[in-house]
Amino acid sequence: MSCLALASTTLASTTHSGTTGSGDAPRPVLVGGHRVEVPVSGGTATVDTTSLRVTARTGQGTVVLSAPAATAPGKPGSVTTSPGTARWSYPDTGLDVTARAGGTGRLVLSVTATGKAAGESARTLSWPVTGTDRRATAVQLSRGEGLSLPVADRFWNSSRADLVGTDMAMESDLSMPLWGYTLGDRQGVSYLVPSDIGTSLRVTSDAGKLRTAATHRFSRADGTTRYTVAFSLTDGSPVAAAHDYRAWLGEHGQLKSLREKIRETPATRKLLGAFHAYLWGDARKADFMGRLRGLGVDRMWLGYDADDRPMDATATAAAKKVGYLVGPYDSFANGQDPATSDAPTSTWPGTVYPDFCVRDADGKPVPGFHDRGCYLSSEAFEKAEPRHHYLADRTREMTKAGADSYFLDVDAAGELFRDHSAAHPLTKAEDRANRLARMTRLSDRGLVLGSESAGAWANRDLAFDHGSGTPVAGGLWTAQRDKETWGGYAPADAPGVFFKPAELPADVAKAMYDPVYRVPLYEAALHDSVVNTERWELSYDKLPRQKTDRALLGMLYNTPLNFVLTGDSLEKSGRELATLQKYFAPLHKAAGTEPLADFRALTADRTVQRTVFGDGTLTVTANFGSTPHKGLPGGCVDATLRDDTAPRRLCPATVNGTAG
């Protein structure tokens, strides 16, 4: 069964909840001793109340959805039922549980902490414990764009991959609150955690196989007293969990399409077909726009850093005239002493610094990025209204040259704060709500809004992001700290950190860019909602060894490439950029507003992969290998739009002879 068929099944199943068929009476939740049986699409799920072990009976046998909880929930009380729902409690630990049949045939389990269990000295629950089914062959993780890892892969089970033993915070370390498993050839399981704040996912290696377990911390003060996990049986596709999450978002009114965003802000259409680039030095001048357009580049998103040389009105007008989006970089997250601040975005009027600093449990300011100044409380800004319009004034100043786009760093990246300040206390959930509110205000001003490494929870407010396309491995940060090999922040017109070509350590490169392990989870959920790119400090030219694979991934996933540009760099690589953008533009213009309907590997070694967007609007086949596959050479990609009579081919390594 293909991912496209899975998507169709998911949509069809919305017509009934816990039923035997459309229009049939609801199938009841059954209770027998310590067993609670819930009807789900594809079978019947069973929860053992003594341990929270979850299994499912299907036409292909019994599937283990979760082993017993790693932290014992306690002795369960009796089970009560109502139509479609069962309830029980663990009096010793203060946990109440409901199990129900979700709207599209899922098993939805919610655990609520009461009494002391929800207090400041919060308890944790390590569950579900997943990947223990003996037929598990691969685990899917929403790290950046997405990974699908064979559970017995020696590299990923070793310390070299920097994965085993890590705890990934659902709201910040993963781009979406989900994971999945493939079981054999045609079966799998999807796990969704809507209550992502306070939840982490830990990866372990058990007898040479990757296992995972979620842990939730219940705390009334943190606003995390309720923990929900949704289980679904899938066809085992590596993107099935993402399709399941997309359906969940739609069911709960949490998904907004690019088409809707274009209707509300017509300039958003200029993202379709556009590559993205940050400009430095003389690239911020009006004549640069003519040079870039003269190469045949018809769509670009152009950004510029917040420094003492922003793009002026003439340059902005020139860029917009030739069809480009223009936007400043800004951040509402950092504050420094205005007398010593090293960044305009960290300089605020009055006593914003230090009055607005986030405070830890000891009342001390939380140090800002790279220990500069402090992180600023979103609640402090909200409380300052309506007397002070700090954020609106900042935005007005940043866009006075006519910018029609805006890049707001950090806000959608998921690093949320608990603020212990007596003047502006807030929980992480309230912090997220404040960030969403201020992003909405930016969008409502008609700005095409983007942010860093956007979590899926921000999809309604953002048109694009820089970073969720990159499955960052921890070794990347180590590599970036070596300024001798990676580059520093000089010269000012072309900082080495962005422009100096660098080589990733072999294990880091494998963990991040080996196409055998990459899957488009983010696109499967959000392709037609958010235009997703890689981190902006990892421009296309920054990593020469990965250029071919990154270009193929971009075309396969129908996502733009990122660049950094100066006048000199345009002379050196402008024709390469133009050739790649000319190939990408018609594909993205046609399919950028379509969902990713299908993804699959066409060869056993996974070096040849195919995507389908919409109802056949665009089909892309990429060969990451070194040998031809049915006429498609290694290192090349074929794309076919619906009305094409022949595939459109791109072999990135042959473009100006610079990639490879």
Side-chain angles (χ1 to χ4, degrees):
M1 183 178 182
S2 70
C3 300
L4 183 60
L6 173 64
S8 300
T9 300
T10 300
L11 291 174
S13 67
T14 62
T15 61
H16 60 93
S17 173
T19 66
T20 54
S22 180
D24 292 348
R27 289 169 53 192
V29 171
L30 302 178
V31 178
H34 56 80
R35 295 164 57 87
V36 174
E37 294 189 352
V38 180
V40 296
S41 291
T44 300
T46 301
V47 183
D48 183 338
T49 64
T50 64
S51 65
L52 287 178
R53 183 174 188 263
V54 186
T55 58
R57 296 193 309 275
T58 74
Q60 301 178 54
T62 299
V63 176
V64 179
L65 305 185
S66 173
T71 51
K75 183 178 179 180
S78 59
V79 181
T80 61
T81 62
S82 57
T85 303
R87 295 179 174 85
W88 67 95
S89 297
Y90 298 98
D92 294 341
T93 55
L95 299 178
D96 294 341
V97 182
T98 63
R100 62 183 177 86
T104 53
R106 301 183 188 89
L107 166 65
V108 181
L109 277 166
S110 293
V111 185
T112 303
T114 61
K116 291 183 179 179
E120 191 63 40
S121 56
R123 68 164 290 116
T124 60
L125 177 65
S126 186
W127 171 89
V129 178
T130 60
T132 61
D133 191 292
R134 60 181 177 80
R135 291 173 297 168
T137 54
V139 58
Q140 290 83 41
L141 301 173
S142 56
R143 177 188 274 186
E145 180 62 71
L147 299 170
S148 183
L149 312 176
V151 296
D153 188 280
R154 295 181 64 182
F155 171 72
W156 287 100
N157 277 274
S158 73
S159 60
R160 294 166 49 206
D162 196 23
L163 177 68
V164 168
T166 60
D167 292 284
M168 297 175 285
M170 284 277 182
E171 79 270 13
S172 56
D173 295 328
L174 298 178
S175 58
M176 298 178 289
L178 63 84
W179 72 102
Y181 273 91
T182 299
L183 311 174
D185 294 329
R186 300 177 64 82
Q187 200 167 31
V189 187
S190 163
Y191 303 90
L192 312 182
V193 183
S195 53
D196 56 338
I197 297 174
T199 307
S200 62
L201 185 69
R202 185 173 182 82
V203 182
T204 58
S205 178
D206 182 6
K209 292 187 177 181
L210 297 174
R211 303 286 187 255
T212 46
T215 298
H216 185 79
R217 182 178 184 272
F218 297 94
S219 169
R220 184 179 296 112
D222 288 338
T224 59
T225 57
R226 186 174 175 85
Y227 175 40
T228 299
V229 182
F231 303 77
S232 292
L233 297 172
T234 74
D235 69 348
S237 159
V239 294
H243 276 146
D244 188 28
Y245 182 56
R246 173 186 175 83
W248 176 279
L249 290 173
E251 293 158 23
H252 292 80
Q254 298 173 12
L255 183 65
K256 188 173 184 178
S257 72
L258 270 174
R259 286 193 175 98
E260 293 177 82
K261 297 169 188 176
I262 289 170
R263 283 196 296 270
E264 294 173 358
T265 306
T268 304
R269 184 175 295 278
K270 292 194 283 186
L271 285 173
L272 299 178
F275 280 177
H276 294 230
Y278 275 89
L279 306 180
W280 299 79
D282 56 358
R284 299 181 186 179
K285 302 298 184 182
D287 65 334
F288 181 86
M289 310 307 154
R291 292 171 57 195
L292 187 58
R293 185 66 184 89
L295 292 172
V297 179
D298 68 337
R299 292 278 176 94
M300 287 292 292
W301 179 91
L302 300 176
Y304 50 93
D305 204 4
D307 54 25
D308 57 352
R309 292 178 294 174
M311 283 180 65
D312 61 22
T314 302
T316 299
K320 292 165 68 175
K321 184 178 180 180
V322 296
Y324 303 158
L325 280 167
V326 184
Y329 162 94
D330 196 7
S331 174
F332 298 161
N334 190 257
Q336 298 183 45
D337 185 338
T340 57
S341 175
D342 61 5
T345 57
S346 298
T347 305
W348 297 88
T351 59
V352 167
Y353 179 87
D355 291 357
F356 285 21
C357 290
V358 172
R359 302 278 171 169
D360 63 19
D362 296 324
K364 297 179 181 178
V366 175
F369 184 66
H370 283 176
D371 292 327
R372 296 152 54 244
C374 71
Y375 281 108
L376 298 178
S377 170
S378 64
E379 184 68 7
F381 281 113
E382 294 298 314
K383 282 182 174 292
E385 295 285 352
R387 293 177 294 108
H388 300 287
H389 309 297
Y390 292 117
L391 303 184
D393 290 346
R394 165 69 73 81
T395 302
R396 191 177 300 110
E397 175 66 21
M398 297 289 281
T399 58
K400 66 182 181 181
D404 53 1
S405 184
Y406 211 80
F407 182 82
L408 184 62
D409 200 14
V410 179
D411 260 32
E415 187 177 16
L416 305 172
F417 292 100
R418 162 87 184 279
D419 190 351
H420 293 263
S421 168
H424 37 77
L426 84 163
T427 66
K428 287 185 176 183
E430 291 166 339
D431 190 17
R432 175 182 285 179
N434 288 342
R435 292 167 185 244
L436 287 170
R438 66 196 195 187
M439 286 190 284
T440 298
R441 291 195 291 266
L442 286 170
S443 296
D444 288 347
R445 292 180 64 130
L447 294 167
V448 180
L449 182 63
S451 190
E452 175 194 358
S453 300
W457 52 267
N459 83 84
R460 290 187 57 84
D461 294 293
L462 298 180
F464 68 96
D465 85 83
H466 293 162
S468 289
T470 307
V472 172
L476 174 65
W477 312 130
T478 303
Q480 290 185 356
R481 285 193 289 269
D482 185 348
K483 301 305 180 187
E484 182 176 345
T485 59
W486 194 266
Y489 285 89
D493 283 352
V497 67
F498 302 117
F499 286 89
K500 181 180 180 178
E503 184 172 340
L504 290 171
D507 288 341
V508 178
K510 185 180 182 69
M512 291 177 59
Y513 289 113
D514 190 331
V516 168
Y517 303 119
R518 293 284 298 266
V519 290
L521 294 179
Y522 200 88
E523 304 316 309
L526 297 172
H527 179 265
D528 59 337
S529 175
V530 179
V531 175
N532 183 29
T533 74
E534 287 214 61
R535 297 184 60 85
W536 75 288
E537 82 272 21
L538 296 177
S539 69
Y540 181 64
D541 293 312
K542 181 68 180 178
L543 304 172
R545 283 186 176 271
Q546 280 72 47
K547 288 181 80 171
T548 292
D549 283 345
R550 292 174 79 190
L552 294 181
L553 286 166
M555 304 309 158
L556 182 68
Y557 297 171
N558 200 225
T559 54
L561 301 179
N562 255 351
F563 292 81
V564 289
L565 296 173
T566 66
D568 287 344
S569 71
L570 190 68
E571 287 293 327
K572 298 175 182 177
S573 59
R575 293 194 179 279
E576 180 183 12
L577 183 159
T579 300
L580 294 171
Q581 192 270 338
K582 184 177 180 180
Y583 181 85
F584 173 77
L587 309 180
H588 197 237
K589 288 176 183 178
T593 56
E594 299 287 344
L596 188 154
D598 187 32
F599 167 80
R600 65 185 67 191
L602 302 182
T603 57
D605 64 3
R606 298 187 57 80
T607 58
V608 183
Q609 301 172 19
R610 174 170 294 169
T611 52
V612 178
F613 296 87
D615 187 17
T617 300
L618 172 66
T619 301
V620 186
T621 305
N623 186 347
F624 296 96
S626 56
T627 59
H629 174 78
K630 296 184 177 179
L632 177 62
C636 297
V637 59
D638 276 352
T640 307
L641 293 173
R642 189 191 307 276
D643 296 329
D644 284 348
T645 57
R648 306 164 185 235
R649 179 163 295 175
L650 173 71
C651 299
T654 66
V655 178
N656 284 353
T658 57

